[in-house]
């Protein structure tokens, strides 16, 4: 009975995390008022996709669903890159890099489909690995950008331009992005055989939940904002 | 609009010191970086605290006397063009905007 409840815990925690992420995505889409130029829209789009992918993952067992899963994965990477470049308004190099990585991922997926290695396509194909590496890179990039934003806020605090609420939210976002990165690294490590499969049983759902809860609170109004 | 605040500060520093254009712009860039701002991320409401702290220090380090630097800074704060929105950038921009959207 205990073993059975433990086995049920992982999908349960993952399901809750995915629904939370899905709800965050919908909230962000609503907040953006569907303005394509705002990062809220692209983050909302990305989170909605994330939540959707995890919730529908158990259904992706047939070849058709695997192909759809890969396309969703590709859209996810593209969405992530767009949200990163919109939010972290860097110069031209960020856009060029984003397009290059998305293009490389697309080529890898096409190569995989043409070669027809369906058997392990969903877990270990070139396209999936390209997506994984791209997502790891983007999560790392976001982590660095949030750290830089926190550093900027620290400097502003020193001259009397501090914003404790913003700082608190950025810290939560940092926790969320770190959890995302660890999830991606953990999955890749298990697929490479560097970590045992059992690592996914506890670590993956826990980090997914940390990611979702931290992001939920980072995007929730404070008590002062509610009463204003 | 926010980029023009940087242009305004640079032009003002260039006009009231002996620094050349590139030197003035470089000094302002360094002062903004010390205060946690990018050149296109500073708004009119930030100019006062930034000018009286990091810009003042950078002017003094650049050889301008304390009195003269203080006068330049106060003149800059008085003359800065007002009326643009807070041009936050990066992740903090989205979080700040979300709290405004809810109101």
């Amino acid at each position: 009975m205990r073993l059975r409840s433990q086995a049920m815990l992982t999908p349960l925690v993952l399901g809750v995390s995915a629904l939370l992420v899905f709800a965050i995505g919908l909230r962000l889409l609503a907040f953006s008022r569907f303005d394509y130029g705002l990062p809220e829209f692209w983050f909302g789009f990305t989170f909605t996709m994330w939540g959707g992918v995890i919730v529908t993952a158990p259904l992706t067992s047939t070849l058709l669903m695997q192909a759809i899963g890969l396309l969703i994965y590709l859209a996810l990477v593209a969405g992530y890159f767009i949200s990163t470049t919109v939010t972290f308004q860097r110069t031209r190099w960020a856009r060029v890099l984003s397009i290059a990585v998305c293009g490389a991922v697309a080529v890898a997926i096409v190569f995989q489909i043409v070669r027809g290695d369906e058997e392990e396509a969903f877990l270990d194909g070139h396209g999936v690995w390209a997506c994984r590496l791209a997502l790891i890179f983007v999560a790392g990039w976001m982590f660095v950008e949030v750290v830089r934003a926190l550093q900027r806020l620290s400097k502003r605090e020193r001259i009397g331009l501090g914003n404790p609420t913003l700082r608190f939210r950025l810290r939560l976002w940092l926790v969320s992005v770190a959890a995302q990165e660890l999830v991606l690294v953990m999955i890749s490590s298990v697929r490479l055989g560097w970590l045992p499969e059992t690592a996914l049983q506890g670590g993956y759902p826990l980090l997914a939940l940390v990611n979702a809860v931290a992001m939920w609170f980072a995007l929730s109004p404070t008590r002062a904002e509610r009463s204003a | 609009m926010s980029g023009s605040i940087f242009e305004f500060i640079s032009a003002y520093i260039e006009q009231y010191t002996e620094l050349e254009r590139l030197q003035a712009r470089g000094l302002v860039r360094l002062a903004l970086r010390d205060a946690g701002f990018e050149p296109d991320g500073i708004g009119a409401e930030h100019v006062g605290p930034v000018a009286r702290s990091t810009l003042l220090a950078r002017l003094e380090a650049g050889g301008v006397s304390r009195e003269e630097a203080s006068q330049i800074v106060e003149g800059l704060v008085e003359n800065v063009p007002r009326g643009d929105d807070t041009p936050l950038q990066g992740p903090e921009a989205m979080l700040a905007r979300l709290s405004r959207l809810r109101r």
Side-chain angles (χ1 to χ4, degrees), chain B residues 33-102:
Chain B
R33 194 188 66 185
D34 293 345
F37 288 97
E38 298 288 333
D40 55 353
I42 184 165
E45 71 272 28
H46 303 134
V47 172
V50 172
R52 292 184 182 112
S53 55
T54 58
L55 184 60
L56 185 66
R58 284 282 174 185
L59 281 170
E60 285 180 35
V64 181
S65 70
R66 186 169 182 81
E67 276 184 28
E68 195 182 346
S70 297
Q71 282 177 0
I72 292 170
V73 160
E74 289 309 320
L76 172 70
V77 175
E78 278 178 26
N79 290 299
V80 70
R82 308 274 167 189
D84 64 337
D85 292 331
T86 305
L88 279 173
Q89 286 185 320
E92 63 265 47
M94 190 175 95
L95 295 174
R97 197 164 44 240
L98 282 176
S99 64
R100 279 204 296 273
L101 274 173
R102 292 192 182 97

Side-chain angles (χ1 to χ4, degrees), chain A residues 136-216:
Chain A
I136 286 171
F137 172 74
V138 175
W141 182 5
M142 289 173 79
F143 185 85
V144 170
E145 289 294 342
V146 179
V147 169
R148 279 164 54 93
L150 276 167
Q151 285 175 337
R152 284 197 295 269
L153 279 190
S154 296
K155 287 178 177 175
R156 289 176 203 176
E157 273 171 17
R158 278 185 228 135
I159 59 169
L161 291 172
N163 187 335
T165 309
L166 200 54
R167 188 175 184 78
F168 174 68
R169 284 178 169 159
L170 272 173
R171 279 183 178 159
L172 282 173
W173 200 352
L174 191 70
V175 170
S176 165
V177 175
Q180 280 176 43
E181 182 76 327
L182 283 172
V183 162
L184 292 163
V185 170
M186 184 179 277
I187 292 172
S188 301
S189 301
V190 169
R191 297 312 306 163
L192 286 169
W194 296 347
L195 281 177
E197 286 275 349
T198 49
L200 289 182
Q201 296 288 321
Y204 177 34
L206 184 68
L207 287 168
L209 191 63
V210 167
N211 169 28
V213 171
M215 187 55 82
W216 179 269

